[in-house]
Amino acid sequence: MATVAEQWVLVEMVQALYEAPAYHLILEGILILWIIRLLFSKTYKLQERSDLTVKEKEELIEEWQPEPLVPPVSKDHPALNYNIVSGPPSHNIVVNGKECINFASFNFLGLLDNPRLKAAALASLKKYGVGTCGPRGFYGTFDVHLDLEDRLAKFMKTEEAIIYSYGFATIASAIPAYSKRGDIVFVDKAACFAIQKGLQASRSDIKLFNHNDMDDLQRLLKEQEIEDQKNPRKARVTRRFIVVEGLYMNTGTICPLPELVKLKYRYKARIFLEESLSFGVLGEHGRGVTEHFGIDIDDIDLISANMENSLASIGGFCCGRSFVIDHQRLSGQGYCFSASLPPLLAAAAIEALNIMEENPGIFAVLKEKCKRIHKALQGISGLKVVGESISPAFHLQLEESTGCRERDVKLLQEIVTQCMDRGIALTLARYLEKEEKYLPPPSIRVVVTVEQTEEELEKAATTISKVAQTVLL
Amino acid sequence: MRTEPGGCCCRRPVRANDCVANGEVRNGYVRSSAASAAAAASQIHHVTQNGGLYKRPFNEGFEETPMLVAVLTYVGYGVLTLFGYLRDFLRHWRIEKCHHATEREEQKDFVSLYQDFENFYTRNLYMRIRDNWNRPICSVPGARVDIMERQSHDYNWSFKYTGNVIKDVINMGSYNYLGFARNTGPCQEAAAKVLEEYGVGVCSTRQEIGNLDKHEELEKLVASFLGVEAAMTYGMGFATNSMNIPALVSKGCLILSDELNHASLVLGARLSGATIRVFKHNNMQSLEKLLKDAIVYGQPRTRRPWKKILILVEGIYSMEGSIVRLPEVIALKKKYKAYLYLDEAHSIGALGPTGRGVVDYFGLDPEDVDIMMGTFTKSFGASGGYIGGKKELIDYLRTHSHSAVYATSLSPPVVEQIITSMKCIMGQDGTTLGKECIQQLAENVRYFRRRLKNMGFIIYGNEDSPVVPLMLYMPAKIGAFGREMLKRNIGVVVVGFPATPIIESRARFCLSAAHTKEMLDTILFPYRLLQRSE
């Protein structure tokens, strides 16, 4: 029928125009004019329906008063005046001019003033200077970084490790690299603030389960399974993650990893394990909670830890299979967009790893000391010990709260100050009260290190006991 | 100060919103506020074409991409994409060996961790020129650096180190603006002493027991360096932004952020929960329109007034080489009662006659900037970040900043490096080394930019910025440029998508006070062979 269409020539079109009735032509003409008018008229913006005049706008601008940039902070805010430490924060620490024994720094293996670490860092300083002057992608990768990543991977018996220049940024960059909008993350209610920030940055669905309660987690996983069956297409592209800590900073308890691994395979969720406190503490060789329970490390998808506790350096690392870790080299925000770790800190971390590998006996020693001080602090009236007996960082909470958090904090701060006067350095566990999802009750943080002797542990126990009696009764 | 006639010294057409053409003031706002600026009694030495707010000529240019180049670039990417699909097809049918790691057998029935399409660009385009990035070095990142040689036998999927070291490569990639990346000299000696005394780690947070006397000393020094009432320091520059912006603004506030802001600013803005609106890069009309609309119309849907408005800008934008139009931003901020957050990561130490950053460069009052943020990584050869401002601001941050409560403080030798280098820049160590470095950097910048422009290359950014992006455009040139430069013992940084728009790939030079004129000439010599004919 192409030929028929070709015959619709111009002449015949003009003829058709002449033959059409008048009203038809007039109607068509009006329609064409209307279209032209609509095309050229101003677009109708819904937003400016109110159509303020310029003068009214200027008045609004004049009138508007913003809030002050920051609300005023009262002079006696408990966190305003920091304790000033003169000199190194090592075993014998000088806080606010008083000499004390350090029960507050996370220096579990006592490596903070170890001469070998200092020598290694000094050698690195003499070779590389201090800063790296660039991110990893642009001439900020030093052979020291590659060495450290290699050593960490070998130590943890995984395929690959990746280093970050700041402990907080490690887990906070790792989680959003894998979990995106639409994915589901099951996380413990007592997770630390860095995990919370990582989850917030990831924009995923967060489902919280009660602390260390595997039944609660199973309930949530079951509910999710039912949801999946309703919508299998969506379920096929929704990733699931379980985020837990090896040793929880806020409660001093260990996560039940064997049950978690069982749940992982049953409900097909990947496990991200945050081992900042348990790395270099739990396990026969200090490899963390996987060694403690005897679990194959490949069962855990990602282990993240910071080097600021046991390794007495700065920074953090993630380790796991290459399939998982390599992704962070291009999508970990704290890795790609930040300067790399200063080489002297990396060299110190390598030396610390050497020391850990040479003396595997220190972990047993640390456990012994933890058990001893737990027992010694058990009987104090007015304070209760929160945390497992082998956890080197635990809390002392008030047995009976006064009902008001501020007053509780004041009481505990009084205990801390008096302990410091008597030569035991302790600290209040600090939180951002308005930002935490599940704010832990106020507590004193007690940290056990290998450097503390028997006498010092005894002294600490008796001092805290005496001070608690005077303050709380 | 140079007294070139106001306006750009450009012979080619430029984008109107970024540059002032000869004699004309394109930025209409400036004309209307010239009167109010004069009334504010800021000393105006030159009434330049940019209006009464600027005391020196502001020459910034972003030349348009030539049409032929744009077309060829798109064609190049098209060819690469086709080849990418072909390769994926071959890999899927096992004709070609699959090099990348795969999921565990036991977890094959889990939902896959990565979307296939997400990694298309990484697998097929980035992988082929991957040897231009992550080059490992084994010496001080100064003006000359030693690069470890690596080889790949499977097209960059894996690297092997041959054991050789390419010595004395001229380093145009490290952010070493004032040349403080050194392993000898007073800074290193002071840091070594502090290392012996204090050790390396801190093992605690600022609010608990990690606040050393060294930190207090550093904060006082930073405050006096910047000319503000108080300052606070943090362990990581990235984290300074991402942890403090959420402490300052929250839901119900408005953030006006520049188009090309750094990832840390974007992350901090997102984590705060405030509404974010983006204005065109360095474009004051766009910013003013957003400010006006925000105050007049309030929050979307509820029409309630905004609690606070925060403007996020950077001193020097590291991908474009442009400098923020600070006098205009401050004038806008005063008129509309907004707050200004200035991220001086690249500009502190590198701009200004005394090295105090972009505020010093424009001759403005530091008190006008509400929150001055910066990092110690670039010009001070250390690591970490700081925020400076009024005492109320710093008191608030000491109690409410996420970093002070949950993150470790700076390591003592790093603190000492910052203290020594800052004193050197301020001239407090008794030498004129600081002043000389600042002058040397400014001379290097002028010389390098002038020579490149004369050769006919397209250079982006401000005439005074030590970050010099040289446009490459085509994807093949990215790889070729990086490799050819390394063959001639020059290490450069090349950047492509997604850090830049897809057709605007570039090579980025970071000039340093440690570069001598001979080094710059050595770099410029090969370009004569690549020079465009004009």
Side-chain angles (χ1 to χ4, degrees):
Chain A
M1 300 289 100
T3 45
V4 174
E6 278 163 32
Q7 284 169 10
W8 200 245
V9 196
L10 186 64
V11 173
E12 301 209 351
M13 279 165 68
V14 174
Q15 209 173 11
L17 205 65
Y18 278 133
E19 286 172 1
Y23 69 87
H24 192 99
L25 287 174
I26 294 172
L27 197 61
E28 299 247 349
I30 291 175
L31 278 172
I32 291 174
L33 285 171
W34 191 255
I35 290 171
I36 293 174
R37 179 178 171 248
L38 280 177
L39 279 174
F40 284 108
S41 71
K42 246 178 106 180
T43 42
Y44 179 55
K45 269 204 182 114
L46 284 166
Q47 219 181 355
E48 285 167 349
R49 204 180 294 166
S50 47
D51 247 21
L52 300 165
T53 64
V54 176
K55 188 156 172 298
E56 282 172 343
K57 285 189 189 175
E58 288 193 359
E59 270 176 28
L60 281 170
I61 294 173
E62 279 290 319
E63 279 173 12
W64 179 68
Q65 282 300 336
E67 282 181 7
L69 179 57
V70 288
V73 172
S74 73
K75 276 205 176 48
D76 48 347
H77 194 288
L80 181 56
N81 298 312
Y82 297 160
N83 297 321
I84 302 185
V85 174
S86 335
S90 52
H91 179 60
N92 294 312
I93 190 174
V94 179
V95 188
N96 296 334
K98 304 169 218 160
E99 274 197 32
C100 307
I101 302 173
N102 195 348
F103 275 84
S105 300
F106 290 116
N107 181 16
F108 302 133
L109 302 177
L111 294 173
L112 208 47
D113 49 0
N114 187 304
R116 276 173 64 179
L117 247 81
K118 288 187 191 175
L122 198 60
S124 178
L125 174 63
K126 290 206 165 97
K127 186 174 176 200
Y128 299 106
V130 174
T132 55
C133 298
R136 288 290 290 259
F138 302 151
Y139 303 101
T141 306
F142 284 56
D143 46 356
V144 201
H145 298 139
L146 299 173
D147 263 341
L148 179 57
E149 286 180 357
D150 225 9
R151 289 294 304 277
L152 283 166
K154 279 207 185 72
F155 181 76
M156 294 293 286
K157 301 212 176 117
T158 59
E159 280 179 17
E160 198 175 328
I162 179 175
I163 314 180
Y164 284 82
S165 55
Y166 205 44
F168 188 99
T170 311
I171 190 70
S173 305
I175 296 179
Y178 301 100
S179 182
K180 313 273 185 206
R181 201 194 289 266
D183 295 333
I184 304 173
V185 184
F186 300 93
V187 68
D188 194 299
K189 276 185 182 165
C192 67
F193 195 71
I195 296 180
Q196 290 174 29
K197 284 294 132 185
L199 293 171
Q200 194 186 351
S202 71
R203 294 196 259 221
S204 319
D205 288 326
I206 315 292
K207 295 196 168 25
L208 294 139
F209 61 90
N210 293 331
H211 178 55
N212 271 352
D213 186 349
M214 291 298 107
D215 295 322
D216 200 28
L217 174 58
Q218 191 158 30
R219 174 185 64 86
L220 285 173
L221 286 165
K222 272 210 180 88
E223 278 173 18
Q224 184 57 40
E225 207 179 24
I226 298 174
E227 281 291 322
D228 288 343
Q229 278 158 4
K230 285 189 203 150
N231 195 345
R233 270 187 99 191
K234 189 168 162 216
R236 243 178 290 140
V237 290
T238 315
R239 294 172 275 249
R240 297 123 223 278
F241 300 98
I242 301 175
V243 179
V244 284
E245 288 184 51
L247 192 57
Y248 285 89
M249 166 110 67
N250 292 346
T251 61
T253 47
I254 302 179
C255 75
L257 202 55
E259 284 90 28
L260 276 167
V261 173
K262 282 202 201 98
L263 287 173
K264 163 188 169 161
Y265 284 111
R266 187 156 156 210
Y267 294 98
K268 318 247 179 290
R270 295 171 203 268
I271 300 185
F272 284 179
L273 188 58
E274 219 282 321
E275 289 221 74
S276 290
L277 259 73
S278 50
F279 178 78
V281 167
L282 294 179
E284 200 188 316
H285 296 99
R287 295 201 176 97
V289 74
T290 46
E291 203 184 21
H292 179 79
F293 285 113
I295 293 178
D296 181 15
I297 197 136
D298 279 340
D299 280 335
I300 311 293
D301 294 88
L302 179 92
I303 296 183
S304 147
N306 70 23
M307 306 195 284
E308 293 160 1
N309 301 334
S310 312
L311 290 179
S313 179
I314 307 266
F317 68 92
C318 288
C319 60
R321 298 184 66 241
S322 289
F323 174 70
V324 181
I325 298 295
D326 210 41
H327 181 70
Q328 280 180 51
R329 295 199 193 269
L330 282 178
S331 42
Q333 292 227 318
Y335 182 84
C336 300
F337 295 111
S338 168
S340 46
L341 185 65
L344 64 97
L345 299 169
I350 295 179
E351 194 59 31
L353 267 181
N354 286 344
I355 295 178
M356 273 169 65
E357 283 178 353
E358 286 164 20
N359 317 356
I362 43 174
F363 307 112
V365 170
L366 182 62
K367 282 200 186 73
E368 267 308 308
K369 301 207 173 174
C370 295
K371 283 193 192 134
R372 176 155 300 158
I373 196 161
H374 260 265
K375 233 170 64 176
L377 288 173
Q378 282 299 340
I380 300 185
S381 54
L383 289 177
K384 63 175 182 216
V385 176
V386 174
E388 300 214 7
S389 61
I390 49 170
S391 160
F394 56 90
H395 296 257
L396 285 170
Q397 288 176 11
L398 290 171
E399 253 175 17
E400 277 177 40
S401 160
T402 58
C404 163
R405 195 187 168 94
E406 253 187 68
R407 252 179 294 154
D408 285 349
V409 168
K410 274 213 175 73
L411 280 173
L412 291 169
Q413 181 61 52
E414 189 51 42
I415 298 178
V416 167
T417 321
Q418 288 200 18
C419 281
M420 261 198 246
D421 287 333
R422 288 174 173 73
I424 300 287
L426 293 172
T427 176
L428 268 181
R430 302 276 184 186
Y431 304 103
L432 275 174
E433 284 161 16
K434 297 209 179 68
E435 305 274 335
E436 287 262 10
K437 278 221 172 74
Y438 288 92
L439 186 59
S443 62
I444 298 176
R445 204 195 291 284
V446 182
V447 178
V448 183
T449 73
V450 259
E451 287 186 311
Q452 290 155 357
T453 61
E454 299 273 334
E455 298 84 42
E456 285 166 351
L457 291 170
E458 286 298 322
K459 183 179 171 204
T462 37
T463 316
I464 297 175
S465 197
K466 266 200 223 120
V467 169
Q469 272 190 335
T470 35
V471 172
L472 294 173
L473 290 174
Chain B
M1 271 197 294
R2 293 168 316 185
T3 48
E4 279 170 61
C8 272
C9 52
C10 35
R11 294 159 284 177
R12 307 178 192 88
V14 289
R15 289 208 294 253
N17 61 347
D18 290 322
C19 184
V20 175
N22 310 329
E24 238 176 81
V25 178
R26 300 273 184 149
N27 197 341
Y29 162 77
V30 173
R31 199 191 279 278
S32 64
S33 84
S36 56
S42 44
Q43 305 123 6
I44 300 170
H45 297 137
H46 303 272
V47 179
T48 65
Q49 304 290 31
N50 303 32
L53 291 171
Y54 288 81
K55 299 181 192 130
R56 58 193 299 165
F58 188 83
N59 300 321
E60 199 163 276
F62 297 90
E63 191 174 323
E64 286 268 358
T65 313
M67 176 58 82
L68 177 64
V69 172
V71 166
L72 285 176
T73 311
Y74 281 123
V75 166
Y77 275 109
V79 168
L80 282 169
T81 316
L82 281 175
F83 268 93
Y85 280 125
L86 174 68
R87 286 217 124 89
D88 273 350
F89 177 76
L90 291 175
R91 270 192 280 262
H92 183 71
W93 289 104
R94 318 267 158 149
I95 303 172
E96 183 177 323
K97 198 167 113 164
C98 192
H99 291 272
H100 52 243
T102 48
E103 179 67 276
R104 285 173 81 203
E105 277 307 319
E106 296 92 330
Q107 286 178 220
K108 278 254 155 56
D109 53 348
F110 282 41
V111 177
S112 69
L113 194 51
Y114 314 117
Q115 282 175 303
D116 261 345
F117 183 72
E118 216 176 87
N119 294 350
F120 180 85
Y121 181 82
T122 315
R123 275 199 307 274
N124 297 311
L125 279 81
Y126 171 75
M127 238 356 132
R128 303 175 65 143
I129 48 175
R130 194 160 81 117
D131 55 311
N132 288 309
W133 293 287
N134 294 302
R135 287 186 180 150
I137 70 178
C138 50
S139 74
V140 176
R144 286 192 186 269
V145 76
D146 297 336
I147 298 184
M148 290 166 68
E149 198 184 12
R150 353 176 242 183
Q151 262 181 5
S152 176
H153 298 286
D154 50 3
Y155 297 101
N156 289 345
W157 282 96
S158 65
F159 290 106
K160 287 202 176 18
Y161 295 98
T162 61
N164 291 341
V165 170
I166 310 174
K167 283 205 166 290
D168 288 338
V169 176
I170 299 180
N171 184 359
M172 295 300 278
S174 291
Y175 302 134
N176 180 22
Y177 299 131
L178 290 178
F180 279 108
R182 304 172 55 189
N183 57 353
T184 53
C187 294
Q188 183 263 350
E189 284 161 21
K193 237 168 60 176
V194 168
L195 187 102
E196 280 295 335
E197 196 193 328
Y198 283 80
V200 160
V202 183
C203 294
S204 188
T205 65
R206 283 306 283 283
Q207 281 198 2
E208 291 188 7
I209 206 151
N211 181 42
L212 308 176
D213 47 0
K214 278 272 158 220
H215 295 130
E216 303 273 326
E217 187 190 332
L218 173 63
E219 287 177 358
K220 285 200 188 70
L221 185 64
V222 170
S224 84
F225 178 75
L226 296 171
V228 292
E229 283 179 25
M232 186 167 175
T233 52
Y234 305 94
M236 185 196 196
F238 185 98
T240 310
N241 280 331
S242 65
M243 298 214 243
N244 288 307
I245 298 181
L248 294 170
V249 289
S250 58
K251 211 157 160 222
C253 303
L254 176 66
I255 292 181
L256 297 175
S257 151
D258 190 292
E259 210 178 7
L260 299 177
N261 267 341
H262 189 255
S264 57
L265 288 166
V266 172
L267 182 64
R270 263 187 46 208
L271 286 176
S272 68
T275 313
I276 307 174
R277 296 210 176 131
V278 171
F279 62 92
K280 296 205 183 66
H281 177 58
N282 233 0
N283 185 331
M284 296 300 114
Q285 286 102 321
S286 173
L287 176 59
E288 190 177 9
K289 181 167 189 310
L290 284 179
L291 277 166
K292 263 206 188 107
D293 285 348
I295 302 179
V296 165
Y297 296 113
Q299 300 191 28
R301 293 194 293 129
T302 57
R303 295 277 190 241
R304 285 206 197 109
W306 295 103
K307 289 201 239 166
K308 286 180 249 199
I309 299 183
L310 185 68
I311 306 175
L312 294 180
V313 286
E314 290 187 41
I316 293 184
Y317 292 90
S318 58
M319 279 302 155
E320 303 283 311
S322 48
I323 299 181
V324 66
R325 292 170 186 272
L326 197 60
E328 294 174 54
V329 175
I330 289 185
L332 276 175
K333 151 196 123 82
K334 283 188 177 150
K335 179 173 171 188
Y336 292 97
K337 292 176 262 184
Y339 299 112
L340 179 59
Y341 185 106
L342 178 64
D343 178 344
E344 291 209 83
H346 286 266
S347 52
I348 191 78
L351 282 185
T354 52
R356 303 310 212 250
V358 71
V359 171
D360 188 30
Y361 174 75
F362 285 113
L364 299 167
D365 184 7
E367 298 211 348
D368 283 337
V369 178
D370 301 288
I371 305 150
M372 290 183 71
M373 178 264 168
T375 62
F376 300 119
T377 328
K378 282 99 188 173
S379 302
F380 300 96
S383 72
Y386 67 84
I387 288 191
K390 294 222 157 49
K391 188 156 186 317
E392 298 90 55
L393 170 71
I394 300 301
D395 279 345
Y396 180 80
L397 285 177
R398 283 168 77 105
T399 49
H400 289 86
S401 161
H402 303 184
S403 171
V405 185
Y406 294 106
T408 320
S409 30
L410 274 167
S411 163
V414 174
V415 172
E416 189 60 26
Q417 160 82 14
I418 303 168
I419 291 178
T420 326
S421 56
M422 204 174 262
K423 284 195 174 141
C424 182
I425 297 175
M426 288 163 83
Q428 280 181 11
D429 61 340
T431 67
T432 52
L433 184 63
K435 229 172 143 51
E436 284 165 17
C437 284
I438 298 170
Q439 275 169 356
Q440 179 69 36
L441 177 65
E443 269 175 40
N444 284 351
V445 169
R446 270 200 295 271
Y447 178 68
F448 196 71
R449 275 182 175 264
R450 190 171 48 84
R451 284 289 306 272
L452 278 177
K453 270 239 174 74
N454 289 344
M455 284 182 191
F457 288 101
I458 300 180
I459 309 288
Y460 271 16
N462 194 300
E463 294 235 333
D464 291 317
S465 113
V467 176
V468 185
L470 181 132
M471 302 310 291
L472 295 172
Y473 298 114
M474 301 196 204
K477 282 193 189 171
I478 305 175
F481 193 80
R483 290 173 189 152
E484 289 299 311
M485 279 287 124
L486 188 60
K487 277 196 201 137
R488 290 163 175 74
N489 244 25
I490 302 168
V492 296
V493 160
V494 288
V495 208
F497 184 78
T500 60
I502 195 147
I503 60 164
E504 290 177 12
S505 338
R506 59 201 71 178
R508 190 184 68 175
F509 298 102
C510 287
L511 293 165
S512 159
H515 289 134
T516 59
K517 192 158 172 298
E518 290 72 38
M519 282 188 216
L520 295 181
D521 283 333
T522 321
I523 301 168
L524 291 166
F525 177 72
Y527 296 179
R528 308 244 302 267
L529 307 167
L530 307 168
Q531 190 174 340
R532 293 199 321 207
S533 52
E534 263 293 277

